Amino acid sequence: MITAIDFGCHEIRSAFRSPKDDKIVNLYTERAEYAVLPAEDRYRQILADKKIPYAECEQSLVVFGNRAEQVRWLSRKPCAPLFADGKIPTVDAPARQILSVLTKAILPPLKPENGSQFCCFSAPGNRSNAGNSEFLSRLIRMHGYIPVECSAGHAVTLATGNETRFSGITILIGADSSQVSISRFGRELASESINVGANWIDNELAEQFKLRTWDESGECYPDFSAIREWKHDPKIHLRNGFSEQEKSLSRLYGVVLTRVARCLKGLLQSSSALKASKERLTVVCAGGATQVGGFAAALTERFVEQDIAGNMVSVRIANDPVTAVVRGLLIQGELEQRRVSDSSVAA
């Protein structure tokens, strides 16, 4: 059985084909965060009554994954991320253990009779962070699968490129980083990561408009939950903002998209194969942050500013942009299995 896991900074997603019908793809999602509650009997009783599983660690009760959202009302303290700043937790032992538990939970049961079972994955944050890949590879191998890493940007190409012969540009706006990838016929020619994403926009909004929440002790935190809920309102549009907060959102998106456009310009100019080709490319965008109204038009404006709009045929948002990465990873895993099978037959 081939499995795919997209280790996102906000959510961890897995995908695999149904054992009963391989035309059906099962998708699972877990929040990449955990909530910490005081280790008091009243909290234990509430969790028991709600049938919410928890772990005890360092005189605290820890609720993680999707369950963390269910206990927000018990504490005003925001949930802690499993991937702080897009990195594997090196000193946060509970977070590492939670990652192992969540990974095991979203992997399908192993079937030894099926031979080698691959798990294609993408690591969070910047691709240059080798520590992320090494840790996640060990984690996947520990649970019995053969890890195969694939860049998130290239995975988007595999998931969305059937109409363009798997050629073109993909732009992935993640939580802590963004990726730009250029492919031709399914082969990645150039790619680059940028250390800025949706979380930077949320941080700036929280700071500019003093969007805060307080815990029981009076300590102040940015209210990221309220910001994300507001951003996902269908009425919000990057080009038609009326309030100061909407206008600021548009400016902040502009900063991120300008960096993306500059990055793409550099890739187009540095690749000899791309400079020699006069072919215009389709741009496909993915990631939860691309769902805001007016995203494609705002990105096109930055391409015009960087004088690279003439290299593009169109700019569009991927179908179901939040699952594009994990769907592409599943395709990559199946390609890897086919390659290994063909090699075995040839031998």
Side-chain angles (χ1 to χ4, degrees):
M1 177 177 289
I2 308 303
T3 304
I5 300 183
D6 172 23
F7 288 97
C9 291
H10 181 56
E11 292 180 324
I12 302 172
R13 296 182 176 85
S14 73
F16 55 90
R17 296 193 183 276
S18 169
K20 297 181 180 178
D21 185 351
D22 61 7
K23 295 180 181 179
I24 298 175
V25 175
N26 294 327
L27 293 171
Y28 290 90
T29 302
E30 287 283 350
R31 298 283 286 270
E33 60 186 16
Y34 62 96
V36 179
L37 301 172
E40 300 176 6
D41 289 340
R42 61 188 180 116
Y43 289 105
R44 292 189 182 91
Q45 188 60 51
I46 292 173
L47 295 175
D49 292 343
K50 298 289 184 179
K51 297 182 179 179
I52 297 175
Y54 62 91
E56 293 205 34
C57 180
E58 299 177 356
Q59 300 181 339
S60 299
L61 308 179
V62 180
V63 182
F64 52 85
N66 294 337
R67 300 286 189 174
E69 180 69 16
Q70 299 177 18
V71 300
R72 280 181 55 191
W73 61 279
L74 288 174
S75 173
R76 294 184 179 181
K77 187 175 181 179
C79 292
L82 293 177
F83 301 109
D85 299 322
K87 299 176 182 178
I88 294 293
T90 55
V91 295
D92 190 344
R96 294 168 75 93
Q97 293 174 340
I98 291 169
L99 270 174
S100 179
V101 172
L102 290 179
T103 300
K104 182 179 180 180
I106 61 179
L107 283 170
L110 284 167
K111 292 186 177 181
E113 65 273 15
N114 291 342
S116 298
Q117 300 185 65
F118 295 97
C119 178
C120 191
F121 75 98
S122 64
N126 197 307
R127 291 181 63 185
S128 63
N129 191 334
N132 286 357
S133 301
E134 292 172 2
F135 175 82
L136 295 173
S137 292
R138 291 197 303 269
L139 189 61
I140 291 169
R141 192 175 288 111
M142 183 178 69
H143 293 302
Y145 283 82
I146 300 173
V148 177
E149 187 177 10
C150 176
S151 77
H154 185 55
V156 174
T157 299
L158 296 176
T160 64
N162 59 315
E163 296 179 359
T164 59
R165 297 181 296 176
F166 302 98
S167 299
I169 300 166
T170 57
I171 294 173
L172 174 66
I173 309 297
D176 279 292
S177 65
S178 301
Q179 290 189 25
V180 180
S181 175
I182 306 175
S183 299
R184 177 171 290 164
F185 303 125
R187 178 173 172 266
E188 191 172 51
L189 300 180
S191 67
E192 190 169 333
S193 297
I194 308 169
N195 288 323
V196 66
N199 283 353
W200 177 81
I201 295 175
D202 296 346
N203 271 302
E204 290 296 312
L205 283 174
E207 181 66 26
Q208 290 180 24
F209 295 95
K210 309 302 179 186
L211 303 173
R212 311 291 191 195
T213 186
W214 290 262
D215 63 14
E216 294 84 351
S217 63
E219 190 169 353
C220 180
Y221 301 90
D223 194 353
F224 292 131
S225 295
I227 294 171
R228 289 165 184 159
E229 185 176 349
W230 171 77
K231 279 169 48 182
H232 291 158
D233 188 326
K235 297 178 183 178
I236 301 300
H237 198 283
L238 296 180
R239 294 166 62 87
N240 301 323
F242 294 101
S243 69
E244 285 303 313
Q245 189 165 315
E246 289 176 287
K247 293 176 182 177
S248 184
L249 177 68
S250 180
R251 289 192 295 270
L252 293 170
Y253 259 92
V255 173
V256 174
L257 296 184
T258 295
R259 289 192 60 182
V260 168
R262 288 174 179 168
C263 173
L264 176 56
K265 183 176 182 178
L267 292 178
L268 291 171
Q269 293 177 341
S270 63
S271 172
S272 57
L274 292 170
K275 284 193 294 185
S277 174
K278 300 298 182 181
E279 181 182 3
R280 299 174 69 199
L281 303 173
T282 298
V283 180
V284 180
C285 307
T290 66
Q291 297 178 104
V292 66
F295 180 90
L299 180 58
T300 302
E301 288 181 355
R302 270 65 195 183
F303 290 160
V304 172
E305 292 173 358
Q306 297 300 316
D307 197 27
I308 57 174
N311 297 78
M312 322 301 175
V313 176
S314 62
V315 178
R316 67 179 178 88
I317 309 301
N319 294 328
D320 196 3
V322 297
T323 66
V325 173
V326 75
R327 289 185 282 117
L329 292 173
L330 183 60
I331 295 171
Q332 180 63 36
E334 292 174 339
L335 292 174
E336 181 66 17
Q337 183 189 46
R338 184 180 302 176
R339 183 190 65 80
V340 172
S341 299
D342 291 345
S343 299
S344 298
V345 172

